[in-house]
Amino acid sequence: MNTSTTRKLNGSNHLPLGDQRNAPFYGKDILSVKQFIRDDLTYIYEVAHEMREMVARIGTFDLLKGKILANLFYEPSTRTSSSFTAAMERLGGSVIPINEVRYSSVSKGESLPDTVRTLECYADVIVLRHPEVGASALAAKYARKPIINAGDGVGEHPTQALLDLFTILEEIGDAEGLTVTMLGDLKNGRTVHSLSRLLSLFHAKLNFVSPAVLEMPAEIVSELADKGIHQHAYTDLDPVIADTDPVIADTDVLYVTRVQKERFASEAEYDEVKNLYVITPETLKQAKKKMIVMHPLPRVGEISLEVDEDPRAAYFRQMEYGLYTRMALLAMVLGKA
Ligand code: ASP
């Protein structure tokens, strides 16, 4: 059951609260940003706001008391994994952490469907990160409980995009028609795949800055073009190097990404494109006063440490927005929001 229109059972045939049957995300998977329309986003962010207020007011509360989340990570994670854990625990629920599948039966050769079918015997929702594109969709096909895609290889990272958009809305006030410049590894970076799709709902203008070998995949470019999104590709932010008009001056959101070392066939190929771009205070001199610099993190040199002092550096605030967004998503799929 992997469609956004199919509700999954929430542990039994008895719904936990009768009046939650109509909650739009109850029992659903979150696999791709393609499943969202703008009304969904409005709803998610209303709930995220409530979560923020509750955390500020009382820290931890019992909305998901008795619920269990399985955090199943086949790839490394700091923020996604710990923010889902924090989200669940702040809502009074608990977590089965499988952050290192090496120590689980996966190392004995267990398949993803079997691992998921196991965990759902113990948990109410499964957060899954996996190196293969489509892994979450595959897991969702076999699972009765909701699957939340926490990154499927170079595919998507929908919950990151939801928190990225929440950051933009909170920091800038609106996303409609913004100019968003995405820089770095646009080929392998799943966060930009999801975010560009989500921003298409807001008619954003998208600039893609990358070396030719790390361009935004053609499939995504054509998907966005079909929606009438203005897109421009550059090889550098510096207009002299790129031989174009400056893009930084028009940019409302500069979304910087790491070159995804783990996706390269060899160290030598990675070495050719690593460290191509470094955002410094000098870069931001030409930027608007009211713009923000974002990064899904970890950064490995593409934003200099001096930029952290600039109020436009939003990447640390971005992480906190992630907590509220993920609290909202958990409450929603478990029928409590
Ligand atoms: N943490 C993000 C991800 O898992 C970005 C990155 O790793 O560069 O996709």
Side-chain angles (χ1 to χ4, degrees):
M1 290 192 283
N2 65 343
T3 68
S4 59
T5 50
T6 310
R7 285 180 195 282
K8 294 188 169 189
L9 296 179
N10 201 21
S12 76
N13 289 326
H14 299 101
L15 297 170
L17 291 174
D19 61 358
Q20 302 300 330
R21 278 169 200 269
N22 294 326
F25 287 91
Y26 174 60
K28 289 185 186 171
D29 303 309
I30 295 177
L31 302 178
S32 161
V33 293
K34 291 184 198 168
Q35 73 194 69
F36 299 119
I37 57 170
R38 268 180 80 152
D39 282 352
D40 295 330
L41 302 172
T42 308
Y43 179 60
I44 293 168
Y45 298 137
E46 264 170 29
V47 180
H49 270 130
E50 275 175 42
M51 295 301 177
R52 177 156 70 177
E53 270 170 39
M54 292 294 281
V55 170
R57 225 155 13 102
I58 51 173
T60 299
F61 47 106
D62 277 348
L63 193 68
L64 295 184
K65 190 170 167 34
K67 298 289 181 193
I68 298 176
L69 156 73
N71 237 357
L72 178 58
F73 281 68
Y74 289 72
E75 280 191 337
S77 170
T78 301
R79 275 149 291 271
T80 307
S81 144
S82 54
S83 66
F84 267 114
T85 298
M88 196 63 185
E89 291 186 354
R90 286 204 175 270
L91 291 166
S94 48
V95 181
I96 302 172
I98 307 191
N99 285 332
E100 185 48 275
V101 288
R102 239 181 328 142
Y103 300 119
S104 74
S105 285
V106 169
S107 65
K108 300 180 190 167
E110 186 165 69
S111 69
L112 178 63
D114 281 3
T115 302
V116 160
R117 280 185 290 214
T118 304
L119 289 172
E120 70 176 355
C121 296
Y122 315 131
D124 301 287
V125 53
I126 298 172
V127 169
L128 173 68
R129 170 168 292 181
H130 196 281
E132 278 160 37
V133 176
S136 297
L138 175 74
K141 220 160 120 184
Y142 290 91
R144 289 173 297 117
K145 307 280 176 67
I147 299 288
I148 299 180
N149 180 1
D152 61 332
V154 300
E156 278 220 33
H157 195 345
T159 70
Q160 176 74 45
L162 289 169
L163 80 86
D164 290 342
L165 180 59
F166 190 44
T167 305
I168 294 171
L169 295 171
E170 291 299 300
E171 299 267 325
I172 298 191
D174 191 7
E176 189 62 36
L178 291 185
T179 298
V180 178
T181 299
M182 298 180 174
L183 171 135
D185 187 348
L186 309 183
K187 177 185 175 206
N188 301 305
R190 55 194 170 203
T191 69
V192 285
H193 300 166
S194 291
L195 183 60
S196 57
R197 288 177 166 129
L198 208 50
L199 286 169
S200 72
L201 298 176
F202 295 82
H203 316 104
K205 296 180 201 73
L206 300 177
N207 294 319
F208 299 139
V209 183
S210 73
V213 288
L214 299 180
E215 275 175 358
M216 185 63 92
E219 171 207 336
I220 297 177
V221 170
S222 83
E223 205 181 298
L224 298 169
D226 288 346
K227 293 189 177 154
I229 300 303
H230 293 283
Q231 306 167 74
H232 293 282
Y234 302 90
T235 52
D236 207 286
L237 262 187
D238 185 327
V240 180
I241 298 174
D243 192 22
T244 54
D245 296 333
V247 289
I248 191 75
D250 289 332
T251 295
D252 298 300
V253 176
L254 177 61
Y255 193 97
V256 184
T257 66
R258 166 181 76 92
V259 177
Q260 310 276 298
K261 185 177 183 188
E262 65 276 29
R263 311 290 177 211
F264 284 75
S266 69
E267 187 96 19
E269 283 172 67
Y270 169 70
D271 286 345
E272 269 175 40
V273 284
K274 70 174 191 195
N275 307 334
L276 277 184
Y277 311 118
V278 182
I279 305 302
T280 64
E282 193 59 32
T283 323
L284 295 183
K285 272 191 186 153
Q286 309 143 47
K288 294 180 187 179
K289 286 276 162 288
K290 196 185 167 201
M291 59 85 76
I292 53 170
V293 183
M294 296 174 66
H295 194 307
L297 303 175
R299 68 174 151 180
V300 288
E302 52 289 322
I303 301 178
S304 77
L305 299 185
E306 300 86 77
V307 175
D308 300 356
E309 308 306 318
D310 191 308
R312 293 170 291 186
Y315 32 90
F316 297 130
R317 299 191 292 274
Q318 191 178 342
M319 290 190 278
E320 191 182 327
Y321 293 119
L323 173 67
Y324 310 128
T325 308
R326 288 176 172 136
M327 286 175 81
L329 292 171
L330 289 173
M332 288 161 70
V333 300
L334 292 172
K336 297 284 188 175

